[in-house]
Amino acid sequence: MDLTGGFGARSGGIRPCREPIGLESLHLGDEFRQLVTTLPPENAGGSFTALLELPPTQAVELLHFTDSSSSQAAVTGIGGEIAPPLHSFGGTLAFPSNSVLMERAARFSVIATEQQNGNISGETPTSSVPSNSSANLDRVKTEPAETDSSQRLISDSAIENQIPCRSQNNRNGKRKDFEKKGKSSTKKNKSSEENEKLPYVHVRARRGQATDSHSLAERARREKINARMKLLQELVPGCDKIQGTALVLDEIINHVQSLQRQVEMLSMRLAAVNPRIDFNLDTILASENGSLMDGSFNGTPMQLAWPHQAIETEQSFHHRQLPPPPTQQWPFDGLNQPVWGREEDQADGNDNSNLMAVSENVMVASANLHPNQVKMEL
Amino acid sequence: MVESLFPSIENTGESSRRKKPRISETAEAEIEARRVNEESLKRWKTNRVQQIYACKLVEALRRVRQRSSTTSNNETDKLVSGAAREIRDTADRVLAASARGTTRWSRAILASRVRAKLKKHRKAKKSTGNCKSRKGLTETNRIKLPAVERKLKILGRLVPGCRKVSVPNLLDEATDYIAALEMQVQAMEALAELLTAAAPRTTLTGT
């Protein structure tokens, strides 16, 4: 079997080196996981799986205890539980590494105690294991002692290791997962246990931070606000370098005020400009075709062309479809065709000159400031 | 001209938002805020929105001109300032209309016009002593709030219709408002440039 082969190879590798205990735990965690994950699919099979099938409940316990990087008692319990089936099977067992398994269990119990005391480096697989079966973890857990130890062991993992699992956990529903440093007080453990049982919004506490519901809600609120402040900082130029909420708010307020003042200035400018162009736009987009076509300048092709010119400039300005009124002038397109060539030449040039010509013609047509206009433009 | 103004802003806006936050606890809130805000902010930067705004602005300005052209042209200063106020209000209303009612400030701007008209009618009937007394009361009662809260209140006063809004919503509204204001400034500037360039400057220099 693959498992036996794997165990055989690894047993040879691990047994001599007992110094890197973290690595051992790493391998052990993997092996135990392999053990238990192959349990359900394989009904009949090698003696090894038969061994584990026989006490299914015990095997399930084994699964969860290994997931929680089992506590001392649990592992020794498993070791004890595995031992009887082994003995009962006795001669029928052809599994070579049973003894290896027991040794591993014993070693793992030793390691577990050491883990509780010291720092853990190779936590990645054990941490990934609990996250994968985090749903089971909650259901199986009965004793506070187990949760204590499991949390302490889980907590030693770095936050980054939890990142891929976190998104999974986030969707697990109404649970609270806590990560704390191994040296957290028992008081914190107890409060976290209580909160774990209650159905709350899923929030993850970070290292060294309080975990009661008030501070969590406070922290969530603060982070919402901080996220929005960051967006505002990006929006307002020159806010990236500033540290501190008050100063950033100052900048934001200044920016809004300056924008509003700019709008006022521009509106004043537009108001000053407006009376000039009143006739221009009005006559362009109004349906006064007759007055345009019957302008005082009859001969000049410009006269015929300027509505189209003005419309074109407006088009380039706005990039939109023309409103219905100007389309009434389109039937005149056939007449204006020879003029369009010149129009386009002019359009390629300055917009200003076009519009100035347009406005000039408008002024001429309106005949209000006619003499002045003609004088100035000419 | 207008298109040249707008795309530059669009590019810088997109580049600043391209960096994705790390997946962490703060980033979860950040992602949520970004999701909400990016849509609203990108909305004010698309060409389509700018063109819609520009067109509506032109039409509204024309209507304003038609209304103001009926008045006499003698008192130019008064006319200009009065027209300026009208134009600014029109521009704000057009801006709020193009927000399609999704933001608080836009609804407040559109509603303020109705409220202002009602107030005018009411002022003709009632006296205006109430407002001043209320303002004096708040002045004396105010204790020195912490700096950040004070500034948040000021910001709330600046953004129309956001005086009693919660802090995260206020920041959201401010973000959208700033983006909308920037677009408004660009559009009005482009329009002003176009019109001042188009109109011969004879009235300024000539008779």
Side-chain angles (χ1 to χ4, degrees):
Chain A
M1 277 182 53
D2 302 340
L3 275 175
T4 60
F7 279 139
R10 278 200 211 155
S11 65
I14 287 181
R15 208 184 295 183
C17 51
R18 300 197 66 155
E19 290 84 30
I21 290 172
L23 289 174
E24 269 189 324
S25 73
L26 185 147
H27 293 303
L28 279 171
D30 266 349
E31 285 162 354
F32 269 120
R33 191 155 39 99
Q34 285 175 19
L35 265 176
V36 300
T37 48
T38 53
L39 208 188
E42 292 190 80
N43 265 337
S47 51
F48 180 61
T49 52
L51 157 74
L52 287 178
E53 261 182 31
L54 188 63
T57 51
Q58 289 165 354
V60 170
E61 273 178 333
L62 170 62
L63 163 70
H64 295 305
F65 283 136
T66 54
D67 288 342
S68 60
S69 308
S70 53
S71 61
Q72 209 174 355
V75 174
T76 50
I78 292 169
E81 274 159 4
I82 289 181
L86 282 173
H87 292 314
S88 68
F89 271 96
T92 58
L93 278 179
F95 188 59
S97 52
N98 277 342
S99 54
V100 175
L101 181 60
M102 283 182 61
E103 278 183 40
R104 262 177 229 298
R107 213 179 297 136
F108 195 73
S109 62
V110 172
I111 288 157
T113 49
E114 287 174 357
Q115 280 178 352
Q116 285 175 11
N117 294 336
N119 262 342
I120 296 188
S121 54
E123 270 293 320
T124 32
T126 55
S127 61
S128 62
V129 168
S131 65
N132 285 337
S133 58
S134 53
N136 301 332
L137 187 65
D138 207 11
R139 281 178 236 131
V140 175
K141 238 185 286 185
T142 50
E143 300 162 20
E146 282 176 18
T147 61
D148 267 348
S149 58
S150 69
Q151 282 178 1
R152 257 190 236 117
L153 289 170
I154 293 171
S155 68
D156 287 333
S157 66
I159 294 174
E160 286 85 25
N161 295 334
Q162 293 291 332
I163 290 171
C165 318
R166 192 168 302 188
S167 53
Q168 273 184 21
N169 283 333
N170 285 345
R171 292 175 205 120
N172 274 351
K174 310 162 195 165
R175 283 186 69 244
K176 265 186 182 169
D177 288 332
F178 293 100
E179 300 164 5
K180 289 164 287 177
K181 268 324 232 188
K183 300 176 183 137
S184 59
S185 62
T186 49
K187 194 165 79 166
K188 275 189 187 168
N189 281 346
K190 291 228 178 90
S191 62
S192 66
E193 288 162 31
E194 291 165 14
N195 289 334
E196 271 211 37
K197 303 280 162 64
L198 295 170
Y200 274 169
V201 174
H202 185 83
V203 172
R204 192 170 283 272
R206 274 183 289 176
R207 72 183 252 188
Q209 290 185 339
T211 56
D212 56 318
S213 59
H214 288 297
S215 48
L216 278 168
E218 180 71 25
R219 199 176 321 124
R221 171 185 163 269
R222 248 184 287 137
E223 277 170 8
K224 262 198 283 177
I225 292 178
N226 285 340
R228 291 178 163 92
M229 286 288 297
K230 271 192 78 174
L231 281 174
L232 268 174
Q233 268 185 302
E234 286 174 19
L235 199 58
V236 176
C239 259
D240 298 343
K241 320 292 180 190
I242 301 178
Q243 303 287 335
T245 319
L247 297 172
V248 167
L249 278 176
D250 268 341
E251 273 301 314
I252 293 172
I253 289 174
N254 285 339
H255 194 238
V256 170
Q257 279 173 339
S258 78
L259 282 176
Q260 284 177 340
R261 255 180 278 131
Q262 276 181 6
V263 169
E264 279 215 43
M265 292 293 145
L266 283 170
S267 66
M268 253 200 287
R269 265 179 73 187
L270 280 175
V273 165
N274 264 347
R276 314 280 319 140
I277 308 300
D278 191 13
F279 309 105
N280 189 1
L281 292 176
D282 272 348
T283 48
I284 285 170
L285 295 175
S287 56
E288 299 170 21
N289 305 330
S291 61
L292 298 177
M293 293 306 143
D294 300 337
S296 45
F297 290 174
N298 295 329
T300 56
M302 283 287 278
Q303 176 92 41
L304 296 169
W306 78 254
H308 183 74
Q309 257 185 6
I311 292 163
E312 268 201 332
T313 50
E314 277 223 4
Q315 259 182 337
S316 61
F317 174 44
H318 294 301
H319 263 246
R320 60 176 173 128
Q321 294 302 321
L322 290 173
T327 56
Q328 298 175 18
Q329 299 167 4
W330 288 126
F332 297 97
D333 288 356
L335 302 171
N336 291 343
Q337 268 183 1
V339 183
W340 287 7
R342 209 201 307 175
E343 251 184 51
E344 279 162 11
D345 293 338
Q346 285 181 346
D348 292 339
N350 277 338
D351 271 352
N352 298 344
S353 62
N354 278 344
L355 282 172
M356 279 168 66
V358 163
S359 55
E360 172 190 350
N361 287 323
V362 172
M363 291 306 147
V364 165
S366 64
N368 261 343
L369 301 161
H370 171 77
N372 296 338
Q373 287 302 311
V374 173
K375 248 193 255 174
M376 287 306 178
E377 287 308 316
L378 293 179
Chain B
M1 206 189 302
V2 173
E3 302 82 52
S4 59
L5 283 174
F6 285 150
S8 60
I9 305 287
E10 195 168 348
N11 290 336
T12 52
E14 283 177 9
S15 61
S16 69
R17 250 163 237 119
R18 217 166 277 142
K19 46 179 180 175
K20 291 286 181 196
R22 263 184 64 213
I23 312 289
S24 62
E25 192 179 9
T26 29
E28 283 180 20
E30 234 183 278
I31 289 172
E32 184 193 317
R34 263 177 207 273
R35 211 189 330 120
V36 167
N37 273 325
E38 270 189 7
E39 297 176 12
S40 61
L41 291 177
K42 288 229 169 84
R43 168 175 72 166
W44 290 114
K45 290 202 196 294
T46 59
N47 275 334
R48 191 172 149 272
V49 170
Q50 286 154 5
Q51 286 141 31
I52 289 177
Y53 179 69
C55 306
K56 294 221 166 81
L57 186 61
V58 166
E59 292 176 20
L61 287 177
R62 214 177 314 120
R63 266 181 265 126
V64 167
R65 280 193 301 262
Q66 282 175 2
R67 232 178 289 132
S68 64
S69 65
T70 55
T71 63
S72 68
N73 289 332
N74 292 336
E75 306 123 337
T76 45
D77 293 339
K78 233 173 150 183
L79 179 66
V80 167
S81 58
R85 209 182 324 122
E86 238 184 296
I87 286 182
R88 192 200 57 187
D89 291 338
T90 318
D92 284 341
R93 255 181 278 126
V94 174
L95 187 71
S98 47
R100 299 209 173 278
T102 47
T103 50
R104 199 184 186 85
W105 59 264
S106 58
R107 292 193 288 264
I109 289 180
L110 293 173
S112 68
R113 192 183 177 199
V114 178
R115 243 180 264 137
K117 281 191 177 168
L118 289 175
K119 265 191 186 168
K120 272 189 199 165
H121 290 303
R122 267 192 229 133
K123 270 189 185 173
K125 300 171 187 174
K126 275 205 278 184
S127 67
T128 60
N130 306 333
C131 301
K132 281 199 178 163
S133 62
R134 212 185 89 237
K135 203 172 179 187
L137 209 64
T138 52
E139 289 282 349
T140 51
N141 281 352
R142 197 188 312 147
I143 316 167
K144 272 290 186 180
L145 298 169
V148 174
E149 290 190 21
R150 239 186 306 136
K151 294 180 175 143
L152 284 172
K153 280 216 151 135
I154 296 175
L155 189 61
R157 262 186 279 139
L158 278 179
V159 180
C162 290
R163 282 174 197 250
K164 296 190 179 174
V165 166
S166 62
V167 176
N169 287 334
L170 176 62
L171 294 178
D172 270 339
E173 293 286 324
T175 317
D176 202 55
Y177 188 56
I178 289 178
L181 273 183
E182 285 195 16
M183 195 207 76
Q184 186 183 26
V185 163
Q186 286 172 37
M188 288 179 72
E189 205 172 313
L191 185 62
E193 285 295 317
L194 202 66
L195 291 182
T196 48
R201 297 172 186 273
T202 55
T203 47
L204 301 173
T205 56
T207 55

